[in-house]
C-alpha cells in the first residue's frame, strides 16, 4: 500500500540517496573500471575504449533533446535491451550513450537507431559540435528572457552536419541559458546563447505587500538601483520599492527575490551572444565567454538571427583557426579586432566592459592590428 | 488528438535534430495534460514571454529542497499545467542506468506526473517536469519505497553532486570520481535535503584536467584529477604515432584535412610550457616544468598516460554571474589523495573547514566564492589554515597595498605624538 | 672644512658608482650651506626618518606652480637648510644643452640657491634643490631676464611635458617628439603655471613603441609614435644579418655568449603575432597581422625600418598607484598624424576635448585615468565623441551587465503593470 | 638691474617657456635630424648613429648620481667644451651623453672621462643595467619611507659591472621610489625598490586645527579608515579625525592631505621589492611590477638586505632567462612559482592581492608546476 495522506509520517523513508552507480554498469565497464588503456573515435559518434585486459567497450553516442518524454525513454530502453544488456547512460551534455562489448555489435545497433527516423542522431564526438547544454526557458521557468528548447532545436537543425562530423579545428561547445542566472556553464562556452532582459522591473504595488520582503528586494540589487518607497493602493499608503532605471543593468535578481517586480517583456527581451569561453584546462586555462553580439530579438519559432549568428561565427572559425585551437584561443591569437572583422560582426560599445573588473580589459599598449575599424583613422 | 492549435511549435517538427514538439505530441496521446504544455508554450511563442508565475514554495515533508514549485499564469486556458512542479531526482553517479530502473521511473512518472522529463538537469539531477501539488507526496513515497531512490537538492543547501564518468570508461581518470561523488552524496544527505547554508553549494568531480563535468566553471567545490609524478611514455607507441600507424587524438579530427600528423607542430610546439622535445625518435618530457594541461595526452592517448601517483586538485568558489560577475573556482589545494580507502576523510576535512567558516561569515545568498571575494583570498587562505603558496595565484599583486598586522611591525603601532614632535618640529 | 661629522654618509664615498656625498662635500667648500644638507641627511641616516616638515606653500607671484616648498624640522641644528625649497626649471625638449646655457644656470644657482640640483626630475624638469624663500623672486627674475627661461609645473596643473630624443638621434622616431613637446609646452604656458585642473595632468611623447620616456606608464596623455603602412625591409641587410656580417641588436647583447645570430629563433619565432617568415633568403612580413611591437626592428635595425607613413597612437590615463592602484594609459586614438605643419591642431583638439570634460566632471584630486575608471570606458569614449572600436580593449566584456538606454529598446521602458497582469495572473 | 622687492611687478617676464631645444643641438644632430638610418653600440656606453648622409654621431653615455652639484655640472661642461663643441645632453634615466661626430674623437673623450676618477663611468647601454631612476628620499621630501640617493648608490656600487657590460638577456631597468606616491615609473620596472610605511598615521591634535581641512583628510583615505572625531586639547574640545588602524594599508595619502597625520617611523618604514614590470611595447605589452618581497628594513648607510635582494634576482635571471627576455617575460614563461623557487625568495601571503582587481590574479586553473612550495602536499 502506498502513501497515506491520513498519516503522512508513517514508515516514511528519507535520506537514502541515489542508487549505487555500479549496479548499472554494463559488464565490460564493471570488468575494466580503472583499467582503460586508451580510446579511439572510430567514426563520428562511435567511441572504442580499450582496456588492459584487451576488452573493448564500443560506445555509440546519440543526440537527444533533453526535454524528453517517458515514451522516448522507454524507446531508448527498448534499444538498450535489444543491444546493450539493458544498460545505457547519459552524458554531461545530455547525449545518450549505448555501449556494446564488441565491434560487430555496433552496426546492428546503428541500424536499429537509424531505423527510428531522426530520433537518435549519432554523433557529438571529437572536433565537432556536440549537444547544446541548455536550461528551461518558457517550458518551465519564471525568469526567462527567451525560450530554451525552441532555440536549441533551431540552432542544432542548422548545425546538424557539425554534430555528425569531426571537421572543426577543435571541439565546439555551445550552451544556452535563458536568463542571467545562467544555469549551466554558459559563461565558459565556445558559443553562449544568453537570454537577456532590457527593461527595468515594473513594480506591482497591488501585490508587493506580503509576497515580498522589501529589505531583501532592496538588498538584491548589485547596483543599489532598488530603493524603499511609498505608494498609494486603493486609498491607503503602503510601503513599496522604486527602481532607478538608469542604474539598472537588467540582471533580474530583484525579480528573483520579489515576485512583484517582473521585468520580462516581448520587445525588451532577447538574446546576447558570447564567445570564446572554455572549461577544460587543456593547453590554455579556462576562459570566460566574451560578449560579442549584445542583442538579437526573440523571433520564435526559429530565431533566424540567432541561428545565423552562431553559424557565421562557427564558419569563420572553421575557416581560419588552426588545428586544436578552441574558438577563444583562436580569437586571442589573431586578436579580438580581427575576430570581429573575420566574423563580420559589428563592434558595439556594449562589448566594452564597465563592471567591477573592467580596467583589466582596457587595451593598455600600442600593440594592435589595423582593421576595418581603424580605417577612419588611417584612411 | 491535439487540443490546441500550435502553428508556431509545429515549425519545430521539421529538421534533422530530434523534435521535442513531436515527442510531446506523442506523449500527449497517453497523457492529455501534455496538450496544455504545448498550448501554453505556443502562447509563449506567440507572446514572446513566459507564462509561469513566480516560484511557489512546495515540497515534501521534512525536506527543504528537491522540488521547484511552478504555476501557470493562464490556468483557465491550460488547466493541465495549472500546477507544474518539477521534481529533482538524484541521479546515480555518472548517469549509468539499467532499463529496468528507468522503466520503473517512467512508470512512476506516468502515474504521478506529466510524463515529461529532462535527462538531465544542468546540475545533474533527473528532472521530472510537471506535476500537481497533491501528487508530490505519493510520488515521493513510491520513489523511496518502490525504487529506493531519493530527491536531489534545491534551495540554500548542498546541491546534487555530479561527476564525469571517470574510471568507469576513461583512461585518464586520476581518481574514482564516481565513488567520490556517490560517497559524499550519501555522507551529506542531510545537507542536500535540509537547507542550512547561506546559499547553494555545489560539488563536482572530474577525473582529470579536461574537466568533462565543467567543475571548475560550475561548482563551489571542484575536485579535479591530476598526478604528481611523471607522464608515462610508451616510446613504441610514440614511434607509431610519428609513423602514422596510429591516428592522432584518437581520431577526434578525422573529418578535417589536416594532413599527416606532425609531432613537432601538433604536440611539442603546442605544449604550453615548452617542456617536450625529441631525442632521436624518443619523446622526452621535463615533467618538472609540466603543468599537466593534458594536451599531449589528448593528442597521443596510446603513447602518453597520466603519472601513476594520482590524486586531485581542489578548486573553490565557481559560480554564475549573479551578482558580482561569474567566477571560476580558484586553486586552493594543489594535490590531495582522493581514495575510498579512508572514506575520503581528507577531502571531507577540507569541505567542512570551508563550510564551518562560510556558514559563520557568509551573508544571505552569498556564494562561497563571493564570500572569498569579499574577505579577500589572503584572509580565506588564513582562515582555512593553509600555507600561502605561489600556486594560489597567477601572479603576485601589483599594488603595494598590504594590510600589515600590528604584531608584524617592530614596536607595534602605538606611538607618542609629543615624543615625535620633540624630534620633528611641526 | 666639514661642519658636521658624517660617519654614515662617509660610507657612501667608496665604491665605483659616483658618490653624491663626495660631490656635496666638494660643493660645500664653495657653498657652506651644503654642510647642513649633509648634516641633516646624516641625522636622517641615523634616525632612519626624514627631517623635512610637511609641504609649505611658497612660489613666485602669479604662478601657482614651479616651486616645491620645504622646511627643515630641525632648523636650529641645520640653519643652512632651514628653508630648502625646490625650483623646477622647465627643461628644453629631450634635454640637450649648450655648456654656455648650463654654466649660466649654475651661476644663477650659485647666486641664489644651494648649488645642488637634480639633473633631472622624474617628470623632466631641471630640479634646483634648496633655496630660501627670499631667494625665489630674485632667482625667477634672473632666470627670465638673463636666461629667457621659465619654470615648470607643480600642483594641479599641466606638468612639464617631456619626450624621448626622437628624430634628433633615433632612426625609429615616427614623429618629431621634440617639436611636439616644445610646441605644446609653449602653447600651454598658462595651464602649466596656473593650476586650473582637478589634479595634475602630464604629457609625454615617445617617438616609437619602445617608449623611451615611459609615456604609457607615467602620463595622463601619452603620444607614442607608430606607422600605418608596411615595415621597410632591406633584403640585402637581412642577408648580412643572417650571414653574421652585421651584429644583431646593434650589438646590445655583445657581452653575452649567445652564439651566432639565428633569425628564426631570435626574430621570426619571437614575433608575437607570428607574422614573419623566410622565403628562401628573403624575409617576409604580413604587415596586416603586425602589431608594430618593434622587436624585429630592435634586433635588425639595419634591415628593418618603420613604415614611411608615420604618426602616433594616443593613450590616455596613466598614473601612479595612489589611490586606486597604478594605471597604464589606455589606447584611445589608434593613429593620428602629428605634425608641426598644422601646429599639432589635431592633437590639441583631442587634448582639449579631454580637458573640457575632465574639468567638468573630475573630482578634486582625481586624475583623468581615475575619472575614466569611475565613469567607465564606454562613457568616456562616448563623451569624447569617439567611435568605439575593438582596439580600445584587450577583449570584450565577459559579464552580461549592459546598461541599455531607454531609446535603444523598442517600446521604451514605461509599461502598465495592470495590463501586464491582465495577461499574466499573479 | 635685477629684481626689485619694492615693485615686484615691474617689467616682469612670465610664460616664456623653455629655450628652443634646437639651439642646443651638436652640429651632426642638427644636420641629420630625422635622417638617421641605424645605430650600433660599439662597446658598452658607446653608441654610433649612422645618418643617410653618411654622417656618424658617436655618443658616449656616462652614469651620474642625479643628485649633482653645479661644480660637477661645470666639470661636465669642461668636458663638452673640450670634446663636443660645447654640447651635451641628459637621458630620460639621468645619464649624461657626450656626442662627437667621428670615431677618432671617441677615445680622447673616453680617456678624459677616465682621467677623472669614478665621476664619469661609461656604460648603461644595451642588455645591461642602466642608471636607476629615483626620487628624493630623505634629501628633500616630506613623505619618504626610505632614502633614495643612498640606496641607489649602494645598489649601483654592487651592480656596477652590469652597468659597464651588456651580458644580460635583455635590458634591466631598476627604479626606486621612496613612498607609494611612486614618483617615477617604479610601478613598471624590471626591479622596483619601493619605500613603504607600516604604521598607521598618528594624529597631532595640537596641530590639526588650521593646518588641515578635516573633510579632505577624511576623503583622502581610499579605504575609509579616516573618520571625523573629537578630542580635547588643553581643556577645550576640538574637531579632529581618528584612524581605524585595521583598515589602513599605509598608503600615506592622508598625510599628503593633512600635515597633522605623520606616519613615517624608523621601524615601521622600509623597502618592498617589486619585479617584472616593463614599459616598452616591445614583444610583450607593458607590465606592472609585482610585489615579491613585502618588506626589507631600512639599514643605512648601505641597505645590505636590499642590495642583496636586487643582486639575487638579477643573477637568477641572468642565469636562467632566454635572450631578449625581460625579467617579467621570464617570470611569466617559467611561472611565478618557479620564479620564487629560482630566486630563492620565500613566498608570503603579502604577495597575494586583496585590493580592487584582486580576483583577476587568482589561479583559476589546475595548471601549475610543482615546486618546493607544494612539497607538503606531494611529499
Ligand atoms: C562523455 C563525456 C563525459 C561524461 O561523463 O559524460 C566526455 C567524454 C570524453 N571526453 Fe570530454 N566528455 C564530456 C564532456 C566534456 C566537457 C564538459 C562540457 O562540454 O560541458 C568538457 C569541457 C568543455 C570545455 O572545455 O569547454 C570536455 C573536455 C574534453 C577535452 C578537452 C578538449 C579541449 O581541447 O579543450 C578532451 C580531450 C580531447 O577532446 O582531446 C575530452 C576528452 C574526452 C574523452 C576522449 C575522454 C576519454 O578518453 O574517453 C571522452 C570522449 C570524447 C569525445 O566525446 O569526443 N573532453 N568534455 C562528456 C560528453 C559530453 C557530450 O555528450 O558531448
Ligand atoms: C533546472 C535547472 C536548469 C535546467 O534546466 O537544467 C535550474 C533551474 C533554475 N535555477 Fe539554476 N538551475 C539549474 C542549474 C544551475 C546551474 C548549473 C549547475 O548547477 O551546474 C547554475 C550555474 C552554476 C552556479 O550554481 O552558479 C545555476 C545558477 C542559478 C542561479 C544563479 C546562482 C548564482 O549564484 O549566480 C539562480 C538564481 C537563484 O539561485 O536564485 C538559479 C535559479 C534557478 C531557478 C530555481 C529559478 C529561480 O530564480 O529560482 C530555476 C528553476 C527553473 C524551473 O522552473 O525549473 N540558478 N543553476 C538546473 C538544475 C537542474 C538539476 O538540479 O540538475
Ligand atoms: C621631484 C619629483 C621626484 C624626483 O625626485 O624626481 C617629485 C616629487 C614629489 N612628488 Fe611626484 N615627483 C616627481 C615626479 C612624479 C612622477 C613621475 C613623472 O611625472 O613622470 C609621478 C608618477 C606619475 C604620475 O604622475 O602618476 C609622481 C607621482 C606623485 C604623486 C602621486 C600622484 C598620483 O596621482 O598617484 C604624488 C602625490 C600628490 O600629488 O600629492 C606626488 C607628490 C610629490 C611631492 C610634491 C610630495 C607631496 O606629497 O606633495 C614630491 C615633492 C618632493 C620634494 O620635496 O621635492 N608625486 N611624481 C618629480 C618631479 C620632478 C620634475 O618636475 O621633473
Ligand atoms: C637615450 C634614451 C632616450 C632618451 O631620450 O634619453 C634611449 C635611447 C635608446 N633606446 Fe631606449 N632609451 C632610453 C630610455 C628607455 C626607456 C625608459 C626608461 O627606461 O625609463 C625604455 C622603456 C624601459 C622599459 O621597457 O621598461 C626604453 C626602451 C627601449 C627599448 C625596448 C627594450 C625592450 O626589450 O623592452 C629599445 C629597443 C632595444 O633596446 O632593443 C630601446 C632602444 C633605444 C635605442 C637603441 C634607440 C636608438 O636607436 O637610438 C637608444 C639606445 C639604446 C641603449 O641605450 O641601449 N629603448 N628606453 C634613454 C636612455 C636611458 C638611459 O640613460 O639608460
Ligand atoms: S537560466 Fe534563468 S530562466 Fe533559465 S532556467 Fe535558469 S533561472 Fe530559469
Ligand atoms: S534588474 Fe538587477 S540591476 Fe535592475 S533593479 Fe533589478 S536587481 Fe537591480
Ligand atoms: S574529465 Fe578526464 S577523466 Fe573525466 S571523462 Fe573527461 S577526460 Fe575522462
Ligand atoms: S601535459 Fe601539457 S604541459 Fe605537460 S607535457 Fe603535455 S602538453 Fe606539456
Ligand atoms: S622611443 Fe623610440 S624613437 Fe624614442 S628614443 Fe626610444 S627608440 Fe627612439
Ligand atoms: S614589429 Fe613585432 S609584430 Fe611586427 S613583425 Fe616585427 S616582431 Fe612581428
Ligand atoms: S616618491 Fe614619495 S617620498 Fe619620494 S619624492 Fe615622491 S612623494 Fe616624495
Ligand atoms: S595611510 Fe592610507 S589607508 Fe591609512 S589611513 Fe591614511 S589614507 Fe587611509
Amino acid at each position: 500500500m502506498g502513501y497515506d495522506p491520513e498519516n503522512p509520517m508513517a514508515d516514511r523513508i528519507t535520506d537514502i540517496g541515489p542508487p549505487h552507480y555500479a549496479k548499472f554498469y554494463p559488464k565490460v565497464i564493471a570488468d575494466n573500471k580503472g583499467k582503460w588503456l586508451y580510446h579511439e573515435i572510430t567514426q563520428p559518434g562511435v567511441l572504442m575504449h580499450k582496456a588492459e585486459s584487451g576488452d573493448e567497450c564500443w560506445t555509440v553516442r546519440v543526440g537527444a533533446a533533453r526535454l524528453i518524454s517517458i515514451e522516448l525513454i522507454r524507446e531508448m530502453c527498448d534499444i538498450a535491451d535489444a543491444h546493450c544488456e539493458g544498460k545505457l547512460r547519459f552524458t554531461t551534455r545530455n547525449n545518450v550513450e549505448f555501449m556494446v562489448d564488441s565491434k560487430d555489435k555496433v552496426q546492428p545497433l546503428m541500424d536499429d537507431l537509424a531505423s527510428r527516423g531522426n530520433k537518435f542522431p549519432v554523433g557529438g564526438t571529437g572536433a565537432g559540435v556536440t549537444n547544446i547544454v541548455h536550461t528551461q526557458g518558457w517550458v518551465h521557468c519564471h525568469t526567462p528572457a527567451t525560450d530554451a528548447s525552441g532555440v536549441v532545436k533551431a540552432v542544432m537543425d542548422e548545425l546538424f552536419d557539425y554534430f555528425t562530423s569531426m571537421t572543426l579545428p577543435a571541439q565546439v561547445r555551445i550552451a544556452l541559458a535563458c536568463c542571467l542566472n545562467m544555469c549551466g556553464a554558459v559563461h565558459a562556452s565556445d558559443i553562449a546563447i544568453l537570454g537577456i532582459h532590457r527593461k527595468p522591473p515594473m513594480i506591482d504595488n497591488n501585490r508587493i505587500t506580503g509576497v515580498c520582503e522589501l529589505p531583501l528586494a532592496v538588498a538584491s540589487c548589485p547596483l543599489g538601483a532598488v530603493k524603499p518607497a511609498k505608494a498609494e493602493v486603493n486609498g491607503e499608503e503602503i510601503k513599496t520599492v522604486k527602481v532607478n532605471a538608469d542604474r539598472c543593468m537588467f540582471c533580474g535578481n530583484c525579480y528573483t527575490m520579489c515576485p512583484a517586480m517582473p521585468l520580462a517583456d516581448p520587445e525588451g527581451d532577447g538574446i546576447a551572444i558570447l564567445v570564446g569561453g572554455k572549461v577544460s584546462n587543456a593547453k590554455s586555462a579556462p576562459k570566460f565567454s566574451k560578449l560579442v553580439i549584445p542583442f538579437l530579438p526573440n523571433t520564435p519559432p526559429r530565431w533566424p538571427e540567432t541561428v545565423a549568428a552562431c553559424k557565421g561565427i562557427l564558419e569563420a572559425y572553421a575557416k581560419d583557426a588552426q588545428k586544436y585551437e578552441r574558438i577563444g584561443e583562436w580569437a586571442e591569437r589573431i586578436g579580438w579586432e580581427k575576430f570581429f572583422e573575420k566574423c563580420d560582426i559589428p563592434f558595439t560599445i556594449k562589448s566594452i566592459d564597465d563592471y567591477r573588473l573592467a580596467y583589466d580589459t582596457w587595451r593598455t599598449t600600442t600593440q594592435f592590428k589595423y582593421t576595418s575599424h581603424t580605417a577612419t583613422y588611417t584612411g | 488528438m491535439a487540443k490546441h492549435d500550435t502553428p508556431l511549435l509545429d515549425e519545430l517538427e521539421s529538421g534533422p535534430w530530434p523534435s521535442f514538439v513531436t515527442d510531446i505530441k506523442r506523449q500527449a496521446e497517453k497523457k492529455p495534460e501534455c496538450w496544455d504544455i504545448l498550448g501554453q508554450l505556443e502562447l509563449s511563442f506567440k507572446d514572446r514571454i513566459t507564462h509561469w508565475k513566480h516560484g511557489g514554495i512546495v515540497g515534501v515533508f521534512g525536506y527543504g529542497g528537491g522540488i521547484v514549485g511552478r504555476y501557470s499564469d493562464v490556468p483557465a486556458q491550460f488547466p493541465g499545467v495549472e500546477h507544474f512542479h518539477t521534481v529533482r531526482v538524484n541521479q546515480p553517479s555518472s548517469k549509468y542506468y539499467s532499463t529496468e530502473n528507468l522503466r520503473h521511473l517512467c512508470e512512476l512518472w506516468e502515474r504521478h506526473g506529466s510524463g515529461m522529463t529532462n535527462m538531465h538537469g544542468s546540475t545533474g539531477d533527473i528532472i521530472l517536469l510537471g506535476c500537481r501539488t497533491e501528487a508530490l507526496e505519493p510520488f515521493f513515497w513510491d520513489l523511496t519505497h518502490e525504487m529506493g531512490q531519493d530527491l536531489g537538492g534545491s534551495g540554500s543547501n548542498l546541491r546534487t553532486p555530479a561527476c564525469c564518468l571517470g574510471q568507469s570508461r576513461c583512461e585518464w581518470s586520476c581518481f574514482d570520481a564516481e565513488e567520490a561523488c556517490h560517497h559524499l552524496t550519501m555522507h551529506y544527505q542531510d545537507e542536500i535535503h535540509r537547507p542550512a547554508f547561506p546559499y547553494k553549494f555545489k560539488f563536482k568531480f572530474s577525473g582529470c584536467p579536461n574537466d568533462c563535468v565543467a567543475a571548475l566553471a560550475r561548482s563551489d567545490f571542484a575536485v579535479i584529477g591530476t598526478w604528481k609524478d611523471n607522464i608515462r611514455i610508451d616510446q613504441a607507441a610514440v614511434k607509431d604515432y610519428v609513423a602514422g600507424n596510429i591516428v592522432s587524438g584518437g581520431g577526434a579530427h578525422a573529418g578535417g584535412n589536416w594532413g599527416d600528423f606532425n609531432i613537432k607542430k601538433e604536440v611539442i610546439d603546442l605544449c604550453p610550457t615548452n617542456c617536450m622535445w625529441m631525442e632521436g625518435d624518443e619523446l622526452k618530457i621535463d615533467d618538472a616544468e609540466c603543468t599537466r594541461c593534458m594536451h599531449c595526452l589528448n593528442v597521443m592517448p596510446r603513447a602518453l598516460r597520466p603519472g601513476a601517483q594520482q590524486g586531485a586538485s581542489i578548486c573553490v568558489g565557481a559560480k554564475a554571474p549573479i551578482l558580482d560577475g561569474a567566477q571560476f573556482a580558484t586553486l586552493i589545494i594543489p594535490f590531495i589523495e582522493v581514495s575510498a580507502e579512508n572514506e575520503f576523510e581528507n577531502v571531507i576535512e577540507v569541505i567542512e573547514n570551508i563550510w564551518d567558516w562560510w556558514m559563520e561569515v557568509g551573508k544571505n545568498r552569498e556564494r562561497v566564492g563571493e564570500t572569498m571575494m569579499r574577505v579577500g583570498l589572503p584572509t580565506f587562505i588564513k582562515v582555512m589554515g593553509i600555507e600561502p603558496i605561489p600556486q594560489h595565484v597567477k601572479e603576485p599583486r601589483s599594488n603595494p597595498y598590504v594590510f600589515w598586522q600590528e604584531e608584524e611591525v617592530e614596536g607595534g603601532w602605538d606611538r607618542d605624538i609629543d615624543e615625535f614632535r620633540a624630534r620633528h618640529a611641526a
Side-chain angles (χ1 to χ4, degrees), chain A, chain B:
Chain A
M1 68 121 261
Y3 173 71
D4 171 8
E6 298 318 307
N7 48 12
M9 302 321 268
D11 17 309
R12 194 172 182 81
I13 300 177
T14 66
D15 300 299
I16 54 176
H20 195 273
Y21 55 90
K23 291 197 305 190
F24 302 140
Y25 281 161
K27 184 166 185 312
V28 64
I29 296 289
D31 294 348
N32 299 288
K33 176 169 182 175
K35 305 204 199 61
W36 297 104
L37 274 180
Y38 63 85
H39 74 279
E40 240 174 67
I41 306 173
T42 58
Q43 70 189 78
V46 181
L47 298 156
M48 186 278 288
H49 284 83
K50 185 81 162 185
E52 290 169 359
S53 65
D55 290 355
E56 295 181 349
C57 175
W58 290 77
T59 302
V60 176
R61 182 176 298 167
V62 163
R66 194 187 84 131
L67 172 57
I68 58 179
S69 69
I70 55 177
E71 286 307 293
L72 188 69
I73 296 173
R74 285 168 171 152
E75 192 172 350
M76 293 171 180
C77 291
D78 297 340
I79 297 165
D81 286 337
H83 302 270
C84 314
E85 347 153 2
K87 305 282 176 21
L88 73 166
R89 77 173 288 268
F90 293 83
T91 72
T92 61
R93 294 190 74 91
N94 313 313
N95 288 317
V96 186
E97 292 185 331
F98 296 100
M99 287 154 281
V100 295
D101 58 13
S102 77
K103 180 163 196 215
D104 51 13
K105 296 181 181 166
V106 173
Q107 202 49 52
L109 168 59
M110 304 265 286
D111 297 341
D112 185 343
L113 292 165
S115 72
R116 298 164 187 267
N118 72 347
K119 279 190 232 131
F120 303 107
V122 174
T125 55
V129 171
T130 182
N131 207 343
I132 297 179
V133 287
H134 63 89
T135 49
Q136 294 297 330
W138 295 332
V139 165
H140 198 274
C141 197
H142 59 174
T143 67
T146 189
D147 185 39
S149 304
V151 183
V152 166
K153 162 69 173 157
V155 172
M156 284 308 287
D157 278 341
E158 185 69 29
L159 304 184
F160 189 73
D161 292 348
Y162 292 105
F163 179 82
T164 56
S165 65
M166 305 189 292
T167 58
L168 294 172
Q171 56 165 246
V172 172
R173 302 292 157 113
I174 306 177
L176 177 146
C178 22
C179 86
L180 297 200
N181 284 336
M182 284 202 199
C183 305
V186 186
H187 57 291
S189 301
D190 295 281
I191 300 178
I193 303 168
L194 177 64
I196 61 161
H197 302 290
R198 295 185 306 160
K199 296 194 181 188
M202 294 177 275
I203 312 298
D204 185 349
N205 287 324
N206 300 319
R207 191 108 201 301
I208 196 157
T209 315
V211 301
C212 176
E213 288 189 38
L214 300 183
L216 290 185
V218 168
S220 72
C221 181
L223 298 179
V226 179
K227 294 255 168 290
K230 298 206 180 317
E232 212 187 80
V233 174
N234 37 50
E236 56 186 64
E237 177 178 276
I238 61 150
K239 285 210 176 64
T240 181
V241 296
K242 63 173 185 310
V243 170
N244 175 348
D246 297 331
R247 308 208 79 266
C248 175
M249 44 63 172
F250 321 100
C251 70
N253 197 48
C254 51
Y255 180 58
T256 295
M257 296 305 289
C258 173
M261 299 180 70
L263 66 169
D265 184 89
E267 276 72 37
D269 299 351
I271 284 172
I273 304 291
L274 294 81
V275 308
K278 74 189 279 277
V279 168
S280 82
N281 295 279
K283 291 190 299 309
S284 60
K287 303 176 195 291
F288 290 122
S289 311
K290 317 285 187 302
L291 183 106
V292 296
I293 303 179
F295 183 77
L296 295 169
N298 270 331
T299 46
R302 285 196 156 271
W303 281 268
E305 302 83 356
T306 297
V307 169
C310 295
K311 185 153 197 201
I313 292 163
L314 199 63
E315 286 180 343
Y317 160 73
K319 198 154 137 282
D320 196 67
Q322 296 171 358
K323 192 177 180 186
Y324 303 114
E325 212 166 39
R326 297 284 300 264
I327 287 181
E329 294 168 328
W330 168 62
E332 287 177 8
R333 176 176 58 82
I334 64 174
W336 282 96
E337 58 266 50
K338 283 281 181 188
F339 170 88
F340 282 92
E341 197 174 55
K342 286 179 197 273
C343 293
D344 198 9
I345 295 173
F347 183 81
T348 77
I349 200 154
K350 308 274 189 307
S351 282
I352 301 180
D353 196 358
D354 53 5
Y355 205 54
R356 308 247 195 272
L357 305 170
Y359 176 73
D360 287 345
T361 69
W362 300 3
R363 187 164 319 206
T364 51
T365 172
T366 58
Q367 293 181 13
F368 66 86
K369 295 180 182 179
Y370 291 110
T371 58
S372 51
H373 312 91
T374 51
T376 46
Y377 294 95
T378 54
Chain B
M1 67 128 278
K3 182 171 152 199
H4 312 280
D5 286 344
T6 55
L8 293 169
L9 289 175
D10 297 350
E11 294 281 322
L12 293 174
E13 292 202 81
S14 60
W17 190 249
S19 169
F20 67 96
V21 175
T22 310
D23 188 20
I24 298 175
K25 283 184 178 179
R26 169 165 77 160
Q27 189 63 53
E29 299 299 340
K30 283 196 182 170
K31 305 274 301 178
E33 57 261 55
C34 290
W35 293 124
D36 284 344
I37 300 178
L38 288 168
Q40 180 174 314
L41 187 58
E42 177 75 12
L43 183 64
S44 283
F45 269 51
K46 196 165 138 298
D47 295 349
R48 294 181 295 142
I49 193 164
T50 189
H51 276 291
W52 300 108
K53 290 183 183 176
H54 188 288
I57 308 304
V58 293
V60 299
F61 292 119
Y63 277 17
I67 316 284
V68 176
R70 195 60 75 222
Y71 299 90
S72 171
D73 72 13
V74 282
Q77 276 167 274
F78 309 106
V81 294
E82 177 186 17
H83 296 197
F84 202 63
H85 311 318
T86 288
V87 179
R88 294 180 178 180
V89 174
N90 197 139
Q91 83 289 358
S93 280
S94 61
K95 310 190 183 88
Y96 287 90
Y97 296 95
S98 68
T99 53
E100 180 204 353
N101 175 270
L102 279 181
R103 289 183 195 276
H104 196 158
L105 191 68
C106 292
E107 201 270 306
L108 284 193
W109 197 236
E110 182 158 14
R111 208 185 298 161
H112 299 286
S114 72
M116 292 308 300
T117 78
N118 292 140
M119 297 297 277
H120 292 73
S122 301
T123 305
D125 293 285
I126 300 165
I127 302 290
L128 300 177
L129 212 58
C131 71
R132 300 193 54 88
T133 308
E134 318 77 84
L136 290 170
E137 286 293 350
F139 170 82
F140 181 66
W141 174 279
D142 295 349
L143 181 72
T144 47
H145 289 73
E146 291 181 21
M147 294 190 70
Q149 288 188 219
D150 204 339
L151 300 185
S154 67
S156 290
N157 52 13
L158 176 61
R159 295 305 182 88
T160 307
C163 59
C164 76
L165 48 58
Q167 295 178 334
S168 73
R169 206 193 67 199
C170 184
E171 65 265 37
W172 293 321
S173 193
C174 294
F175 69 98
D176 189 341
E178 297 167 286
E179 184 54 29
C181 182
H182 183 76
H183 183 93
L184 291 169
T185 303
M186 299 308 277
H187 186 77
Y188 288 122
Q189 282 294 299
D190 186 40
E191 287 74 4
I192 290 174
H193 294 133
R194 293 168 200 88
F197 293 146
Y199 201 7
K200 62 187 76 168
F201 195 96
K202 296 177 179 180
F203 292 165
K204 284 182 168 61
F205 305 85
S206 278
C208 86
N210 283 330
D211 196 2
C212 294
V213 74
L216 198 117
R218 300 190 298 160
S219 46
D220 303 273
F221 188 84
V223 181
I224 301 176
T226 193
W227 61 93
K228 62 180 179 181
D229 54 344
N230 296 346
I231 291 173
R232 288 172 289 176
I233 310 182
D234 173 345
Q235 296 291 357
V238 171
K239 293 189 189 60
D240 282 330
Y241 275 106
V242 172
N245 306 335
I246 309 180
V247 55
S248 64
H253 289 76
N257 321 327
W258 301 107
D260 293 344
F261 174 67
N262 177 328
I263 194 168
K264 169 120 190 5
K265 262 181 70 234
E266 299 184 40
V267 180
I268 295 173
D269 291 351
L270 294 184
C271 167
T273 64
N274 280 301
C275 68
M276 312 180 87
W277 68 96
M278 295 299 290
E279 260 174 45
D281 53 9
E282 296 235 316
L283 179 66
K284 301 286 177 195
I285 300 176
D286 179 355
D287 289 88
E289 300 299 319
C290 168
T291 52
R292 300 166 311 288
C293 85
M294 293 299 294
H295 175 67
C296 59
L297 290 83
N298 290 342
V299 176
M300 306 198 294
R302 288 176 70 164
L304 303 175
R305 302 174 64 194
Q309 296 172 29
Q310 305 184 333
S313 299
I314 292 178
C315 303
V316 180
K319 62 176 299 302
I322 303 291
L323 297 166
D324 269 334
Q327 279 176 258
F328 284 122
T330 297
L331 182 75
I332 298 299
I333 308 284
F335 185 87
I336 188 169
E337 254 138 51
V338 183
S339 113
E341 257 128 66
N342 64 3
E343 291 179 315
F344 307 98
E345 66 178 352
N346 48 350
V347 177
I348 287 172
E349 209 177 283
V350 180
I351 292 168
E352 303 198 343
N353 202 355
I354 294 171
W355 281 352
D356 292 346
W357 169 78
W358 179 53
M359 288 170 75
E360 191 186 308
V361 311
K363 297 182 178 167
N364 176 41
R365 274 178 67 84
E366 183 177 65
R367 296 288 289 267
V368 73
E370 293 172 303
T371 315
M372 288 165 69
M373 273 239 215
R374 175 164 57 82
V375 304
L377 186 56
T379 306
F380 177 74
I381 288 171
K382 261 195 222 126
V383 294
M384 289 298 112
I386 291 171
E387 262 301 301
I389 53 175
Q391 283 83 355
H392 286 140
V393 293
K394 295 186 191 116
E395 60 186 30
R397 72 189 310 144
S398 54
N399 63 70
Y401 296 152
V402 173
F403 289 97
W404 290 89
Q405 305 297 312
E406 179 161 18
E407 53 281 11
E408 296 172 312
V409 183
E410 212 182 315
W413 285 347
D414 282 339
R415 294 183 283 169
D416 179 345
I417 184 70
D418 301 326
E419 195 198 279
F420 178 85
R421 279 290 169 232
R423 285 175 284 108
H424 303 274

